[in-house]
Amino acid sequence: MNSLHTEMNAIVRALSAIRTPAVPGEYDLHAEVSAALTRAQIAHRHEYKLAPRCRIDFMAGRVGIEIKKGRPAPAALRGQLSRYL
């Protein structure tokens, strides 16, 4: 198994453990994600700058994590992720 696949599986396991009640805001979710990654001993950086005006919510190794609350507009989300790529 390659290391990227291993990294992604560890992140998914860590994030799958999160159980949140109704969360008032996206940054509350950021705190929950950061705590879950920390508990799983996954090094991560919050608000990681990919390029000018492109900041992803978390970078954990080679894996970027973008947090969205609710149901974001698919076209807007695709545009954001395209900029990040």
Side-chain angles (χ1 to χ4, degrees):
M1 190 179 302
N2 70 37
S3 66
L4 180 58
H5 191 261
T6 302
E7 284 180 57
M8 290 176 60
N9 282 337
I11 291 166
V12 168
R13 277 193 305 276
L15 299 183
S16 295
I18 296 173
R19 298 292 178 260
T20 58
V23 179
E26 196 170 293
Y27 283 98
D28 296 311
L29 289 172
H30 286 217
E32 292 285 338
V33 167
S34 183
L37 293 172
T38 298
R39 280 191 301 275
Q41 299 180 336
I42 297 172
H44 59 283
R45 295 183 60 191
H46 187 235
E47 298 292 338
Y48 184 80
K49 187 175 183 177
L50 298 168
R53 295 179 20 182
C54 288
R55 193 176 306 263
I56 197 160
D57 293 332
F58 291 93
M59 197 69 185
R62 296 177 291 161
V63 179
I65 303 167
E66 183 65 22
I67 306 298
K68 296 295 181 203
K69 185 176 180 228
R71 295 183 180 187
L77 184 56
R78 279 192 300 276
Q80 182 180 16
L81 295 177
S82 291
R83 285 193 313 277
Y84 291 173
L85 292 173

